[in-house]
Amino acid sequence: MTPQLPILSSDEPSADGGGALFEVLENFPNAFPPRRTEVPQPEDAHQTMGFFTDTTLCIGCKACEVACKQWNQLPSDGVGKLSGHSYDNTEHLSATTWRHVAFKEKTGADGTDRLLMLSDVCKHCEQAPCQQACPTGSIIYNEFGNVYVQNDICNGCGYCISACPFGVLGRADHPHDDGHAHKCTLCMDRQEDGLTPACAKACPTASIQFGPLDQLRSAARGRVEQLHARGNNSAYLYGCDSVGDYGPLTSFFLLDEHPNEYNLPEAPPQPFRGQGFRYAVSTAVGLGLTLLSAFWLAKEGKA
Amino acid sequence: MAQRDTPFHAPWTDALQHRPDPNRVTELQVSPTSPAAGGRVSAATQQPSAAAAPSPELLPPTSDHPPGSEPSYYDISLLQAPVWKWQIANYFFFGGLSAGAYLLARMAAHFGGLRAHRTERAGTWIAFVTVLPCPLLLIDDLGDPKRFHHMLRVFKPSSPMNLGTFMLTGYSGMVTAALLRQLVTGRTGTPAESGGTAGAPAKAWLLVHDAAGLPLAIVVAGYTGVLLSCTANPLWCKNAWLGPMFSASAISTGAEAIQLALDCRPSEDTNGSGGMLQKIDTAAHVVEAGCLAGFTRSAGDKAAPLHHGSMRRVHRFAVGALVASEVIKHLPVAPRWRRPVRMLAAAAGLAAGFSMRWAMVHGGHEAANDPHLAREVSRAEPSIEKPFSSLQE
């Protein structure tokens, strides 16, 4: 940040040359603005901010994918890569795709065809296994309650990638890529300036909603009731209260079909549950065999 | 092409290069498939190896998912494949072997008599030499190797990788110190031998040194199994048998390496009557085989990559070599054949330990890339009321 020029106390140039110099010296502290700029804060600074993605409103325009790629300056995944899987050419979240729109064409028996569309994203779990797995301390919970990978610390060990039960993280492994793990940051840089994340901002139907998590959850529950009242009884919330081993997900969804139809896990495991027990049995076996060898050695020595 | 992607014909439909959709049912079969068949689709789907082609004019009506099939998303796995490759498989082997050899050498130092001196010497050498490639393998595996020191940036024992890195660092210091002690003093350092010339402080220092090294080596021997179990990979997730299996394998490969080294330079036949090394090797093999059986039972059909997948030959070789190692070791042979037979058994055991870890690491790749297994690892427990059951048929 370049220092600003000293602000003179009045607009008219001072006739007195010596007085002008004195004014410059008086305003000298203003020449260097404070390091921390004042940014607008959310109303409650410690509230968790999350996403509610309502797939019944999604029109599959992929504006969220484009906005995410553009804001975060993510590289292309390959031009002209056609998968043949309906409109889904992105196929999966990765190190360079942090919003992925899934498409599923479902053919009904009576010609009741419909298109399932879901904008997939990092779930920013409250007991995130990626955060627990990270050995460098790169993955943290930031001040918005979101899971954030600090790119200047990550060394690309890949543990978070195997730990995530949703398959969210990827490692940027192409030549000339940085070799680190990457995922959705919930636009932490935009949030810090009081802005809405890029995907939520770009979504034309408000399918992706952003805000404090408790407000999102009450809005989501109201939406499900509204859908049930309209006759859509298969609508439900995925990750609002609990799913699998996880409690509320900070980024949760309203779905219409079984989670596997959208390539979401039915009951995602938290792999670190039972870690202590697994350490205990491993240590017990190692120690037991070591002591057994000592016992046999002692017997041999006496012989 | 055999099957048509569109229900109509146009000049451009012949040029379609789309992959067949495994979810699109073309021939509906009446009898449902039992879940024991692995949830395979009973109705013929557009797999590349599909036998019959439907008539091009009329595609039969399909339901959402016929009974017996499962909801899926094309042929895309919901999980990401692990990024660990041959470097990690090799590290598992060398790190475990080093820890096992170190533990046996320390036990020989403190509990063995004069006959165990060669075991202790060879064990300490082997532990040092085999721990040398470990940090290099781990650093090479990183996506950004120049940031390897970030592993020690924080102490975070809730992460097996972080705890293991600290334990490995401390352990390699202990191994180096033990070897230096061995080289400098020219003595094995066993209390019995050093009792006359070394004072109490030296003996106390020796005990403290080895007491500190013992827990480090025990953790290094087995933490890699715990690390694998703390992933979402279908082959490894939450499997409590991996840690003990790796620990037992560490002891057995360490014993085999020491046995091989001792037999390469034959002196008087100290192990002719079946010494500690062979006995602990057998005991560790028994534990390892039991853990492998427990692992297979616990993983269920998620262990398919090891049994039917790309790693089936490597896995079978691992099991076969383990059994062969024990059989060969216990063959009744003439005394002059005992040494080569022992060496052969030790070599077979080492091959078994290496290939078991190779199969486990590379099997994980296949397991994560398999869409069905990826769904299975996150399947709700059948005893609990199935969530979303109203959405399944």
Side-chain angles (χ1 to χ4, degrees):
Chain A
M1 173 114 29
T2 55
Q4 294 172 354
L5 292 171
I7 300 165
L8 296 178
S9 54
S10 70
D11 286 336
E12 290 101 23
S14 176
D16 186 353
L21 178 63
F22 183 75
E23 275 167 328
V24 164
L25 287 174
E26 199 178 60
N27 286 310
F28 186 73
N30 293 329
F32 300 97
R35 263 192 225 144
R36 198 182 201 99
T37 47
E38 294 297 312
V39 295
Q41 293 288 319
E43 271 171 18
D44 183 353
H46 298 290
Q47 234 169 3
T48 303
M49 309 297 280
F51 280 139
F52 166 49
T53 305
D54 185 347
T55 65
T56 57
L57 293 174
C58 182
I59 57 172
C61 68
K62 304 189 208 173
C64 51
E65 275 197 45
V66 173
C68 174
K69 282 266 192 186
Q70 188 175 30
W71 175 261
N72 293 297
Q73 297 176 323
L74 298 173
S76 159
D77 294 326
V79 180
K81 189 184 71 128
L82 296 176
S83 65
H85 291 144
S86 188
Y87 293 97
D88 184 2
N89 292 312
T90 312
E91 299 201 288
H92 207 283
L93 291 171
S94 68
T96 51
T97 296
W98 304 349
R99 266 281 179 189
H100 154 238
V101 182
F103 292 84
K104 190 78 178 294
E105 294 177 26
K106 299 203 66 71
T107 50
D110 304 326
T112 53
D113 299 347
R114 63 197 190 114
L115 192 51
L116 294 177
M117 291 168 290
L118 165 88
S119 180
D120 197 12
V121 74
C122 170
K123 317 301 181 287
H124 294 273
C125 315
E126 286 193 355
Q127 303 109 34
C130 63
Q131 191 276 331
Q132 190 168 354
C134 180
T136 59
S138 166
I139 302 185
I140 57 165
Y141 285 99
N142 64 13
E143 64 263 34
F144 305 107
N146 307 133
V147 181
Y148 182 75
V149 183
Q150 298 175 87
N151 195 35
D152 52 347
I153 297 172
C154 175
N155 61 12
C157 74
Y159 197 3
C160 57
I161 293 162
S162 289
C164 179
F166 303 97
V168 164
L169 294 115
R171 189 167 77 177
D173 268 338
H174 292 290
H176 309 299
D177 279 351
D178 61 12
H180 304 149
H182 296 276
K183 72 170 188 70
C184 162
T185 61
L186 235 158
C187 280
M188 179 177 166
D189 47 352
R190 287 180 67 98
Q191 284 194 66
E192 279 180 333
D193 283 344
L195 302 172
T196 311
C199 53
K201 185 77 177 176
C203 179
T205 58
S207 168
I208 303 175
Q209 292 167 37
F210 166 79
L213 190 60
D214 46 4
Q215 287 179 24
L216 289 178
R217 293 172 71 198
S218 56
R221 291 191 188 107
R223 173 69 180 160
V224 171
E225 278 174 26
Q226 182 188 43
L227 287 169
H228 287 176
R230 282 194 203 164
N232 181 354
N233 285 315
S234 60
Y236 67 98
L237 293 174
Y238 179 90
C240 181
D241 293 304
S242 73
V243 59
D245 280 350
Y246 296 87
L249 300 176
T250 309
S251 179
F252 62 100
F253 301 86
L254 193 154
L255 303 180
D256 225 350
E257 292 278 338
H258 190 274
N260 287 163
E261 300 270 12
Y262 303 89
N263 229 11
L264 290 169
E266 180 185 55
Q270 221 290 9
F272 288 88
R273 284 208 184 164
Q275 187 191 179
F277 170 73
R278 297 198 285 273
Y279 266 123
V281 291
S282 172
T283 308
V285 166
L287 188 63
L289 285 169
T290 306
L291 294 176
L292 188 61
S293 73
F295 168 71
W296 275 328
L297 275 164
K299 248 178 57 171
E300 212 177 78
K302 287 198 189 89
Chain B
M1 52 187 155
Q3 294 165 14
R4 197 171 286 281
D5 271 333
T6 58
F8 55 87
H9 178 67
W12 54 270
T13 57
D14 290 331
L16 281 177
Q17 300 287 331
H18 291 173
R19 274 180 274 172
D21 182 352
N23 287 333
R24 188 146 194 139
V25 176
T26 55
E27 283 174 350
L28 207 57
Q29 293 177 7
V30 176
S31 59
T33 312
S34 69
R40 304 227 186 280
V41 180
S42 63
T45 55
Q46 285 188 356
Q47 301 292 342
S49 54
S55 68
E57 296 82 31
L58 181 68
L59 284 173
T62 62
S63 64
D64 281 349
H65 36 90
S69 75
E70 56 178 19
S72 61
Y73 189 75
Y74 311 114
D75 58 352
I76 302 167
S77 173
L78 64 93
L79 291 173
Q80 301 265 10
V83 299
W84 304 319
K85 296 181 185 61
W86 64 268
Q87 296 94 333
I88 294 303
N90 276 282
Y91 162 66
F92 285 178
F93 177 69
F94 285 110
L97 199 158
S98 173
Y102 175 83
L103 286 166
L104 295 173
R106 292 302 103 214
M107 292 298 109
H110 288 273
F111 294 97
L114 290 173
R115 273 193 271 176
H117 286 179
R118 290 189 73 222
T119 301
E120 193 212 330
R121 272 207 176 92
T124 310
W125 265 111
I126 288 167
F128 177 76
V129 165
T130 51
V131 86
L132 285 178
C134 290
L136 303 173
L137 289 165
L138 291 174
I139 291 170
D140 188 48
D141 174 73
L142 291 175
D144 193 352
K146 65 183 186 303
R147 286 185 180 177
F148 70 93
H149 53 98
H150 287 195
M151 286 298 194
L152 300 173
R153 191 181 152 266
V154 293
F155 181 59
K156 193 178 156 189
S158 57
S159 164
M161 195 178 277
N162 181 277
L163 180 72
T165 309
F166 275 99
M167 296 289 121
L168 181 71
T169 308
Y171 163 75
S172 49
M174 290 294 162
V175 162
T176 311
L179 183 71
L180 284 174
R181 194 176 69 208
Q182 190 168 288
L183 290 173
V184 164
T185 62
R187 296 190 297 261
T188 61
T190 52
E193 203 185 61
S194 63
T197 46
K203 276 197 278 184
W205 168 241
L206 178 75
L207 273 172
V208 164
H209 198 202
D210 286 349
L214 196 86
L216 294 175
I218 287 181
V219 172
V220 169
Y223 89 93
T224 47
V226 178
L227 191 155
L228 290 183
S229 75
C230 292
T231 60
N233 191 289
L235 188 63
W236 309 326
C237 180
K238 286 187 182 176
N239 201 313
W241 298 93
L242 278 169
M245 187 162 77
F246 279 30
S247 290
S249 183
I251 300 282
S252 74
T253 49
E256 283 145 12
I258 298 176
Q259 185 66 70
L260 208 53
L262 289 179
D263 278 336
C264 281
R265 293 211 292 158
S267 66
E268 77 279 6
D269 199 1
T270 57
N271 291 323
S273 57
M276 179 276 288
L277 286 173
Q278 292 169 61
K279 282 201 273 206
I280 198 69
D281 185 30
T282 302
H285 274 165
V286 166
V287 173
E288 195 181 335
C291 288
L292 189 58
F295 165 83
T296 306
R297 196 163 150 266
S298 176
D301 56 356
K302 296 194 286 286
L306 293 181
H307 299 134
H308 312 295
S310 59
M311 284 294 123
R312 65 187 182 281
R313 288 198 192 92
V314 180
H315 182 72
R316 273 177 217 157
F317 173 77
V319 176
L322 193 152
V323 171
S325 163
E326 285 306 307
V327 165
I328 292 169
K329 193 164 47 173
H330 291 107
L331 285 175
V333 289
R336 73 188 182 96
W337 285 109
R338 286 216 192 104
R339 184 175 147 255
V341 160
R342 265 204 315 267
M343 291 174 78
L344 184 63
L350 287 170
F354 180 79
S355 48
M356 185 272 284
R357 287 173 173 78
W358 186 271
M360 197 60 74
V361 170
H362 289 83
H365 284 247
E366 190 178 313
N369 284 327
D370 185 327
H372 173 70
L373 293 183
R375 288 189 289 270
E376 281 303 307
V377 75
S378 53
R379 192 63 65 198
E381 291 288 320
S383 56
I384 304 170
E385 184 195 328
K386 269 180 90 66
F388 320 118
S389 55
S390 57
L391 298 166
Q392 279 182 299
E393 267 160 9

